[in-house]
Amino acid sequence: MKKDIRTWIDQLRGAGVLDTISKPVDPRTQMGALLWQSRERALLFDNLAGYPGWRCLGQAPGDVRLAPLAFGCDRNEMVPEFVRRTQESGTTRLVPSGPVKERILKGDEVDITKLPIHQCGIRDGGPFISAGLMISKDPDTGNRNLSFHRLQMKGPRKTGILLYPRHGWTNYQKHESKGESMPVAFMIGHHPMYYFAAATTTDYGRDELTIASALLEEEVEMVKCETLDMEVPAQAEVVLEGEILPHVREEEGPFSEFQDYYLAGAGQNPVFQINAITMRGDAIFKNIQNGAEVEGCVYHKVPMSAQILRRIRNVGGGTQVKNVLALPGIFGIVVQMNSRYYGEARNVLMAALSSEYQHPKVAIAVDEDVDIFNYADVLWAISTRVNPAEDIITIPGAKIHAMDPSCQEVGKPGAPGWHRVGGKVMIDATKPPECDPARRFEFERLQPMGAGKVRLEDFL
Ligand SMILES: Cc1cc2nc3c(=O)[nH]c(=O)nc-3n(C[C@H](O)[C@H](O)[C@H](O)COP(=O)(O)O)c2cc1C
Ligand SMILES: [Mn+2]
């Protein structure tokens, strides 16, 4: 059996981290607060007021601490395991049909207002489809791209869409410059590896569905769309087929975003017109609660950490970087490494701040004797291993993520050229390198007398 949202629900249930909510819940007014409160456990809603027959999964996982369940490893191992699995591309294969074709609605039968789409935050511009993964194509090469995009419900067959300037936007620009709409399929509801794959930023032209396959460690089965020359995963729960119209912009947003703010990205954004829906007969909907420390950011943090780890492991012909952690709000990262030479940590931090990802502007390097999952330990390293005059380096005038409100915005969302400019900072909180054993020795962490031999439990 292929891995899908159902096998994932079984896995969550088996691990004892799933709560099923059978009391009626209104997705528009109640679900956001319920998801927000459930940080450690996934929620399966099976009674959605006003949406008979629907179920919905959320906060699955709601925190990076739960994500290792999907990889079958420890938290320490998850990011390196992501890198290992995606060393080689996986494969996709066209099959004649699949569960996502159990119901087919076309034209005027399409009505997304009947889907249990939740309103995520108080100041959001209304309900948004938050778990839609867009399959688009480069019109010149036919290469496929998979990316997340928020969809603001605007009518039965119409949504707004935020296309941040990356691959999905590039494909749209190529279509728009020819005066054509961009055909796209959005899938909603699948195994979390599809979400990790969609949030992986890599080279333009690489099909992230092959990354999903590599992460899943199985071939991904695809079926042909009904109204488009495009394929979608056969085991998805819901697929929206349609087009992003050329030269149409409408007010879109605000929306609860990854930094824990609403406003960035809102403005005159493109419009998605939906021409068909295909879905399972008993489809399970997916709503992602968005914010700095809820489900949305889990999908950012894991692939971002993995792509940066992959890159910085190769700095200068090879480093001893062990792990990478994305901090809340994802503009900061912590690199855990063994520094061997003077300046090596800085070279690593420079690479970490200029990777495939636009988000990181704060990069901190610590040693292997620092527990990066414990923010207190990271702050201890910053305060005891940093000489501020030497080890904190700011780089002014860098291109910053366009949704980082702390930096100056240039241009506008939905138009070419949108970006921000601001500073980046490197904090080298590593101890002196291996090549200077005498200085390094001064930074050996203390250990209690009897450590490792005398155990408290034997004395209680
Ligand atoms: C939960 C979540 C929501 C996202 N929402 C959007 C969005 O609304 N618009 C957008 O352009 N990118 C969004 N992204 C980011 C992109 O999906 C992500 O950066 C991806 O790597 C882009 O793919 P691409 O580089 O192939 O274009 C979101 C990511 C996550 C994890
Ligand atoms: Mn891409």
Side-chain angles (χ1 to χ4, degrees):
M1 195 162 77
K2 293 287 179 190
K3 297 189 188 102
D4 58 15
I5 202 171
R6 291 152 197 258
T7 61
W8 175 234
I9 289 171
D10 289 344
Q11 215 185 330
L12 290 163
R13 193 179 281 121
V17 289
L18 178 83
D19 285 326
T20 302
I21 297 193
S22 298
K23 290 186 181 166
V25 170
D26 180 348
R28 308 277 207 255
T29 59
Q30 295 178 308
M31 190 181 284
L34 295 172
L35 292 171
W36 185 258
Q37 289 167 72
S38 189
R39 299 293 171 108
E40 307 282 336
R41 302 170 70 77
L43 297 182
L44 181 65
F45 300 89
D46 66 9
N47 183 354
L48 297 169
Y51 307 88
W54 281 99
R55 286 175 290 165
C56 175
L57 182 70
Q59 289 288 77
D63 189 285
V64 267
R65 270 171 302 190
L66 268 185
L69 185 63
F71 291 86
C73 65
D74 286 346
R75 186 168 183 195
N76 260 319
E77 284 307 313
M78 178 174 61
V79 169
E81 174 66 10
F82 190 114
V83 175
R84 190 192 67 73
R85 287 192 193 183
T86 53
Q87 221 69 271
E88 308 279 332
S89 278
T91 52
T92 66
R93 183 169 61 98
L94 192 62
V95 297
S97 191
V100 75
K101 297 292 188 184
E102 284 166 10
R103 282 191 72 194
I104 298 174
L105 303 165
K106 285 187 185 164
D108 290 340
E109 293 168 333
V110 171
D111 185 356
I112 60 163
T113 66
K114 294 189 178 142
L115 302 179
I117 304 168
H118 92 309
Q119 176 155 346
C120 188
I122 289 179
R123 279 173 62 192
D124 289 2
F128 280 68
I129 296 172
S130 50
L133 303 184
M134 181 176 86
I135 300 173
S136 64
K137 282 184 181 172
D138 174 347
D140 300 330
T141 62
N143 288 340
R144 203 155 53 190
N145 193 73
L146 181 71
S147 49
F148 264 96
H149 299 275
R150 70 192 198 196
L151 297 173
Q152 181 173 7
M153 193 177 85
K154 290 195 164 192
R157 294 179 54 189
K158 177 176 159 182
T159 77
I161 178 168
L162 175 68
L163 289 166
Y164 186 88
R166 248 180 320 242
H167 301 158
W169 166 258
T170 302
N171 287 345
Y172 176 59
Q173 288 295 280
K174 287 189 176 193
H175 284 93
E176 191 171 55
S177 65
K178 298 181 177 122
E180 296 164 1
S181 62
M182 175 163 80
V184 294
F186 268 90
M187 67 153 153
I188 304 164
H190 214 316
H191 193 275
M193 292 305 182
Y194 288 86
Y195 294 99
F196 289 128
T200 302
T201 296
T202 174
D203 28 324
Y204 179 60
R206 175 110 187 259
D207 176 1
E208 284 92 354
L209 282 156
T210 65
I211 298 178
S213 161
L215 289 171
L216 290 157
E217 299 187 298
E218 65 184 28
E219 191 163 57
V220 166
E221 290 180 351
M222 307 287 287
V223 288
K224 282 231 160 288
C225 286
E226 300 301 305
T227 60
L228 309 166
D229 177 23
M230 216 168 245
E231 300 91 45
V232 287
Q235 279 82 19
E237 297 294 312
V238 179
V239 165
L240 310 178
E241 299 180 10
E243 53 201 296
I244 304 181
L245 308 173
H247 304 296
V248 177
R249 300 289 187 277
E250 286 182 9
E251 211 47 41
E252 187 271 351
F255 182 59
S256 304
E257 273 294 350
F258 60 89
Q259 342 76 339
D260 239 41
Y261 300 133
Y262 293 106
L263 287 178
Q268 290 286 308
N269 280 317
V271 168
F272 173 44
Q273 179 190 299
I274 303 159
N275 299 326
I277 299 181
T278 75
M279 59 190 214
R280 297 198 188 219
D282 61 345
I284 300 173
F285 202 71
K286 175 92 184 115
N287 282 324
I288 293 179
Q289 191 66 21
N290 239 6
E293 288 290 271
V294 280
E295 182 171 15
C297 263
V298 177
Y299 302 125
H300 281 290
K301 284 174 173 176
V302 180
M304 180 192 296
S305 302
Q307 291 298 77
I308 292 174
L309 175 61
R310 185 198 315 276
R311 168 172 289 258
I312 64 183
R313 266 182 180 166
N314 295 319
V315 166
T319 61
Q320 292 182 348
V321 177
K322 192 176 165 204
N323 215 340
V324 173
L325 177 82
L327 294 171
I330 66 173
F331 294 136
I333 50 165
V334 180
V335 173
Q336 188 186 39
M337 65 183 288
N338 178 41
S339 79
R340 296 165 301 166
Y341 312 107
Y342 280 113
E344 189 182 34
R346 286 177 197 203
N347 290 1
V348 162
L349 292 175
M350 285 193 277
L353 287 176
S354 55
S355 73
E356 293 84 344
Y357 280 83
Q358 300 178 18
H359 308 80
K361 68 173 177 194
V362 178
I364 304 161
V366 298
D367 292 279
E368 285 180 75
D369 62 359
V370 174
D371 176 5
I372 58 169
F373 303 122
N374 176 356
Y375 299 139
D377 222 27
V378 174
L379 292 172
W380 167 83
I382 291 175
S383 24
T384 67
R385 290 181 172 172
V386 167
N387 168 2
E390 293 278 326
D391 298 326
I392 299 179
I393 303 119
T394 46
I395 303 144
K399 181 168 169 286
I400 297 295
H401 196 281
M403 292 168 76
D404 178 345
S406 67
C407 296
Q408 192 201 329
E409 191 170 33
V410 183
K412 288 274 167 266
W418 177 43
H419 68 290
R420 283 188 201 245
V421 62
K424 297 205 180 202
V425 62
M426 307 195 278
I427 304 176
D428 179 359
T430 58
K431 54 193 179 188
E434 256 178 15
C435 68
D436 189 347
R439 281 279 288 140
R440 193 171 169 89
F441 184 64
E442 291 180 56
F443 290 85
E444 185 183 307
R445 290 190 83 161
L446 35 93
Q447 293 247 54
M449 197 59 198
K453 293 191 206 117
V454 185
R455 297 182 318 171
L456 177 61
E457 64 220 61
D458 297 334
F459 286 78
L460 292 174

